Amino acid sequence: EIVMTQSPATLSVSPGERATLSCRASQSVTSSLAWYQQKRGQAPRLLIYGASTRATGIPARFSGSGSGTEFTLTISSLQSEDFAVYYCQQYNNWPPGTFGQGTKVEIK
Amino acid sequence: EVQLVESGGGLVKPGGSLRLSCAASGFTFSDYNMNWVRQAPGKGLEWVSSISSHSSYIYYADSVKGRFTISRDNAKNSLYLQMNSLRAEDTAVYYCASWETTPGRFDYWGQGTLVTVSS
């Protein structure tokens, strides 16, 4: 089973600043990587798929990059509604589609 | 608008059973592969089970294999999860989630239903 490791566990950022989240796979997942946003008490929401394609309705301030084993989610200018937990997930080896443990983006 | 609404969660004793349901609307249910994903309190996401659009392919996580059964009724636009021999570690919010074309990429999610296994 592919293990997904996210860093950091918690990221403290001021509104308007840039946030960079990392995700590493234990073996290559090519570009079959998704990012999800989960706000407190809500279901996850698909943000990015194919490592770099924004899902429908996702603002341009969210961008994804990487391939193989190293991936990055960047939020260019944090808005108040962006403070949440972000999960990466590989779906190259399906099933199972394994998730990372999450990165919490909190207000600094 | 795509809507997935789970129901059937609750408190159950260890060893007991529970059946979850997910009602779908706003899309052609029979075109979509459906899944259950769970989240233990304060923890991350764990895929549980998947069923293809016409039930030809069914998969389970090792942690639930032999205890949980996924099914669907396309005529009723509904997904189910029969959970037997429940354990404390099955305590979680259970989400139904769907994908249409890309296996394992969860495009839509329901709001979840809480299952608590405790004596």
Side-chain angles (χ1 to χ4, degrees):
Chain A
E1 179 178 301
I2 297 176
V3 177
M4 307 301 293
T5 303
Q6 293 184 242
S7 61
T10 303
L11 188 60
S12 298
V13 186
S14 300
E17 287 189 342
R18 182 187 197 90
T20 303
L21 289 66
S22 296
C23 174
R24 174 177 292 179
S26 60
Q27 63 189 75
S28 177
V29 298
T30 64
S31 294
S32 299
L33 190 285
W35 290 94
Y36 301 88
Q37 177 194 65
Q38 187 178 34
K39 297 180 182 179
R40 181 181 290 273
Q42 296 187 19
R45 175 176 71 148
L46 178 66
L47 289 179
I48 300 283
Y49 63 89
S52 60
T53 302
R54 282 189 302 277
T56 303
I58 302 304
R61 64 181 181 272
F62 291 92
S63 63
S65 63
S67 66
T69 62
E70 301 283 344
F71 301 90
T72 300
L73 174 69
T74 301
I75 311 171
S76 60
S77 176
L78 269 159
Q79 307 297 302
S80 56
E81 61 266 30
D82 300 336
F83 293 96
V85 179
Y86 293 83
Y87 294 94
C88 64
Q89 181 227 359
Q90 69 81 19
Y91 49 93
N92 189 63
N93 259 40
W94 168 263
T98 45
F99 294 89
Q101 79 279 20
T103 291
K104 181 180 180 181
V105 177
E106 65 177 23
I107 300 174
K108 187 175 182 179
Chain B
E1 180 194 1
V2 172
Q3 275 207 314
L4 297 170
V5 180
E6 302 90 338
S7 61
L11 175 63
V12 61
K13 290 181 168 50
S17 298
L18 212 54
R19 189 193 197 210
L20 306 183
S21 299
C22 172
S25 61
F27 64 104
T28 305
F29 182 72
S30 58
D31 285 347
Y32 280 70
N33 297 267
M34 299 300 297
N35 306 265
W36 291 98
V37 179
R38 69 184 179 183
Q39 185 171 37
K43 302 296 184 183
L45 300 164
E46 179 191 17
W47 168 78
V48 172
S49 183
S50 177
I51 186 167
S52 61
S53 57
H54 294 282
S55 306
S56 301
Y57 300 98
I58 287 176
Y59 303 102
Y60 298 99
D62 288 344
S63 57
V64 306
K65 202 172 293 183
R67 300 187 298 121
F68 289 11
T69 301
I70 192 172
S71 62
R72 64 190 293 162
D73 185 336
N74 287 346
K76 294 182 178 180
N77 289 347
S78 293
L79 172 73
Y80 307 102
L81 186 68
Q82 177 67 42
M83 303 186 296
N84 299 331
S85 303
L86 282 161
R87 306 166 180 167
E89 55 264 35
D90 296 318
T91 294
V93 174
Y94 285 73
Y95 297 101
C96 68
S98 65
W99 54 267
E100 184 182 13
T101 58
T102 303
R105 187 190 85 198
F106 304 118
D107 299 319
Y108 302 108
W109 298 68
Q111 285 303 303
T113 187
L114 176 62
V115 172
T116 303
V117 184
S118 175
S119 54

